[in-house]
Amino acid sequence: MTEREETVRLRSLTRPAPEDACELVVEGIDAGALVTAVGRCSVDYEGRAESTLGPGERHVMLKPDGAALVHTDEGQQPVNWQPPDCDHEVSVVDGQLLVESHRETPAEHLAITFESVLQASAFGLTDERDLSLAGTEEDLRERVLDDPDLVETGFSPLATERSTPAGAVDVYGEDREGRAVVVELKRRRVGPDAVGQLSRYVDALARDLHAEREVRGVLVAPSVTDRARRLLAERGLEFVSLKPPRKDDIDADG
Amino acid sequence: MTEREETVRLRSLTRPAPEDACELVVEGIDAGALVTAVGRCSVDYEGRAESTLGPGERHVMLKPDGAALVHTDEGQQPVNWQPPDCDHEVSVVDGQLLVESHRETPAEHLAITFESVLQASAFGLTDERDLSLAGTEEDLRERVLDDPDLVETGFSPLATERSTPAGAVDVYGEDREGRAVVVELKRRRVGPDAVGQLSRYVDALARDLHAEREVRGVLVAPSVTDRARRLLAERGLEFVSLKPPRKDDIDADG
DNA sequence: AAGTCGATATCGCCA
DNA sequence: TGGCGATGTCGACTT
């Protein structure tokens, strides 16, 4: 006989006593719910670095995959967090709700101590999570492979992610003269770091190929900064202005 | 005459009608509250890239600084978001709660359409926000400046953030022989990118200084990957193993 | 488990 | 405001 148990969609408590908040959070985590607790708390972290955060009112989210987020009223990023696959422990210590999250490799521990809880909620969520994203570097690569002349008339792509001792080259190919060409793609305006990356690949490939073989390096991006342009020139590297396609462009290609 | 208005600490609705959810969210935003809405929704984004996300149950957070976050039940990162300083608009369209967030420079628009709302809350939060963090690259720099012999016996730091045509050098100094030394600091194990960064600085400084002047490059980090070690060797660069101090070490220094 | 690199990276600092 | 680099970056993919 099977007990038909309806998934608990929502449990919520307003200004709960620490023991009641603890029970809701524990049962929510056990049930695979996304749990939130809002209230005045302090946060201590120790792991890859160390941090302490004095008392203040914050929004705490515990996800069923083991992630934890502490958000203040400002900023896109959480002020403290734990990544997915952490173990959450919830308890009441000295009359205060204590939420701890821990993982190994690397060893990291987060402790959130609540002076008071304004609201605690447990949400049973289901999500297909089918995000469709366009305008990435991969889209730019497909654009280049579809029409290599956008890089340069007569350019012939031979491989993507071609490995070198310095890392994998985005697009490797030959120009109309048969010279080796390393293409580094960036979806947005680039600075000196991208030039360094391209330069590394060109150097590594020049060592790998026979010495007499010339290797050209081409940075493909919407634009470059002044400093990046100078570095490109110093190293004999080239730049081609190209943006990742918009969704409409991709559709039109079909 | 001043009306003494107590800050609304918490307003919350369970399974509200779209109109009621809309009112709560609008008034919450106007009051400078952190607003959350949990429910089944679809999300469309257009800006630096483009994305669509089909229906699913998610947690939406609107911060008083203009940030917006859409969290699924998985992952540390939001599936969609807007950065701070965006303008939020809330309305009911075709009987559905619609939350929009927009900014210019760059032009970005986020639209969240709710099929249903499980819970909507507005939290009036106050936070001193005094995060203390240790174990950063800055801590590592202070450790090196306090005891330059940790880099090498006789090393003399002359400047931090010394500018070069390729960017600013973390620590610039001289070795016991009077040779110029570029030190690049990293708080954690490094890969090829850090070698490229150091290499750029050394090249740029060698150009800037008189040609006969030798410029050494030293990467200071806890450890390096194999590939990074090979790249260092190829370019005649050096590595010194050093970690950022823990909080206890910093205290002991005082 | 570790290496490598992209990201709507975000964030802070400085010119 | 844009450039530049750090981040407890995260996340995906490969080895």
Side-chain angles (χ1 to χ4, degrees):
Chain A
M1 184 156 106
T2 305
E3 180 182 342
R4 184 157 184 285
E5 185 178 54
E6 190 186 5
T7 304
V8 176
R9 302 290 306 284
L10 169 62
R11 286 183 63 196
S12 189
L13 296 171
T14 300
R15 299 183 189 278
E19 292 77 9
D20 296 329
C22 181
E23 182 187 322
L24 185 147
V25 174
V26 166
E27 292 180 5
I29 291 174
D30 288 348
L34 184 154
V35 177
T36 62
V38 180
R40 187 171 175 82
C41 62
S42 300
V43 187
D44 288 277
Y45 160 76
E46 187 161 345
R48 285 169 289 174
E50 297 164 295
S51 74
T52 60
L53 181 62
E57 294 179 331
R58 287 132 202 165
H59 180 286
V60 176
M61 182 185 297
L62 304 176
K63 291 198 180 188
D65 68 356
L69 303 169
V70 183
H71 275 278
T72 70
D73 61 347
E74 288 186 2
Q76 178 177 333
Q77 298 303 128
V79 63
N80 278 114
W81 69 91
Q82 285 286 71
D85 297 319
C86 290
D87 291 321
H88 299 324
E89 270 186 87
V90 189
S91 58
V92 175
V93 175
D94 296 337
Q96 296 189 318
L97 177 67
L98 172 64
V99 176
E100 291 175 285
S101 178
H102 173 270
R103 72 160 171 171
E104 306 286 342
T105 59
E108 292 189 296
H109 183 84
L110 184 71
I112 310 165
T113 306
F114 282 88
E115 293 178 21
S116 63
V117 178
L118 208 53
Q119 184 182 64
S121 301
F123 304 95
L125 301 185
T126 60
D127 190 350
E128 307 309 320
R129 206 169 28 268
D130 53 343
L131 182 74
S132 163
L133 181 66
T136 64
E137 180 179 306
E138 187 180 341
D139 294 319
L140 178 57
R141 181 175 66 208
E142 287 169 13
R143 189 177 181 196
V144 163
L145 294 179
D146 277 357
D147 187 1
D149 283 352
L150 288 173
V151 173
E152 173 182 286
T153 305
F155 173 62
S156 300
L158 297 174
T160 62
E161 300 299 318
R162 184 196 192 284
S163 73
T164 77
V169 169
D170 281 341
V171 179
Y172 170 71
E174 288 181 353
D175 66 14
R176 86 195 82 170
E177 310 289 337
R179 286 177 292 235
V181 178
V182 170
V183 176
E184 174 63 28
L185 304 168
K186 292 296 171 189
R187 66 172 301 281
R188 62 173 192 173
R189 181 174 174 87
V190 297
D193 54 339
V195 180
Q197 202 179 343
L198 175 59
S199 185
R200 277 195 286 127
Y201 298 152
V202 169
D203 288 356
L205 201 62
R207 283 175 191 256
D208 252 23
L209 299 177
H210 293 90
E212 73 272 11
R213 191 89 186 278
E214 183 182 350
V215 179
R216 295 172 54 198
V218 180
L219 184 58
V220 173
S223 59
V224 294
T225 64
D226 281 355
R227 189 125 70 182
R229 191 180 291 277
R230 275 185 219 108
L231 290 172
L232 284 169
E234 282 180 10
R235 298 176 179 248
L237 302 172
E238 302 159 60
F239 166 67
V240 170
S241 177
L242 204 55
K243 295 179 192 176
R246 308 299 293 183
K247 181 72 166 47
D248 290 347
D249 303 326
I250 298 175
D251 291 345
D253 271 356
Chain B
M1 187 152 112
T2 306
E3 180 181 341
R4 185 161 182 284
E5 185 178 55
E6 189 185 8
T7 305
V8 176
R9 301 291 305 285
L10 169 63
R11 286 183 65 196
S12 189
L13 296 172
T14 300
R15 300 183 188 278
E19 292 77 10
D20 296 329
C22 180
E23 181 186 323
L24 184 148
V25 173
V26 166
E27 293 180 4
I29 291 174
D30 288 349
L34 185 154
V35 176
T36 62
V38 180
R40 187 171 175 82
C41 61
S42 300
V43 187
D44 289 276
Y45 160 75
E46 186 160 345
R48 286 169 289 175
E50 295 164 296
S51 75
T52 60
L53 181 63
E57 293 178 331
R58 289 129 200 169
H59 180 286
V60 175
M61 182 185 297
L62 305 177
K63 290 198 180 189
D65 68 355
L69 302 169
V70 183
H71 275 278
T72 70
D73 60 348
E74 287 186 4
Q76 178 177 335
Q77 298 302 127
V79 63
N80 278 114
W81 69 90
Q82 285 285 69
D85 296 322
C86 290
D87 290 322
H88 299 323
E89 269 185 271
V90 188
S91 56
V92 175
V93 175
D94 296 336
Q96 295 189 320
L97 176 66
L98 171 64
V99 176
E100 292 176 286
S101 177
H102 175 270
R103 71 161 172 171
E104 305 287 341
T105 59
E108 292 190 295
H109 183 86
L110 184 72
I112 309 164
T113 305
F114 283 89
E115 295 179 20
S116 63
V117 178
L118 208 52
Q119 184 183 63
S121 302
F123 305 95
L125 301 186
T126 61
D127 190 350
E128 306 310 321
R129 204 168 29 269
D130 53 344
L131 181 74
S132 164
L133 180 66
T136 64
E137 179 178 307
E138 186 179 342
D139 294 320
L140 178 57
R141 182 176 65 208
E142 288 171 10
R143 190 177 179 195
V144 164
L145 295 180
D146 278 357
D147 188 0
D149 283 353
L150 288 172
V151 173
E152 173 182 285
T153 304
F155 173 63
S156 300
L158 296 174
T160 62
E161 300 300 319
R162 185 194 190 286
S163 73
T164 77
V169 168
D170 281 342
V171 179
Y172 171 72
E174 288 181 353
D175 67 13
R176 87 195 80 173
E177 310 289 337
R179 286 180 290 237
V181 178
V182 170
V183 176
E184 176 62 30
L185 303 169
K186 292 295 172 190
R187 67 171 300 280
R188 63 174 192 173
R189 183 174 174 85
V190 296
D193 54 339
V195 180
Q197 204 180 339
L198 174 59
S199 185
R200 277 195 286 125
Y201 298 153
V202 169
D203 288 356
L205 201 61
R207 283 175 191 255
D208 251 24
L209 300 177
H210 293 93
E212 72 272 13
R213 191 87 187 280
E214 183 183 349
V215 179
R216 295 172 53 198
V218 181
L219 185 58
V220 173
S223 58
V224 294
T225 65
D226 281 354
R227 189 124 73 179
R229 191 180 291 278
R230 274 184 220 108
L231 290 173
L232 283 170
E234 281 180 8
R235 300 180 177 241
L237 303 172
E238 303 159 58
F239 167 67
V240 170
S241 177
L242 204 55
K243 294 178 193 175
R246 309 298 293 182
K247 180 74 167 47
D248 290 347
D249 304 324
I250 298 175
D251 292 344
D253 271 356

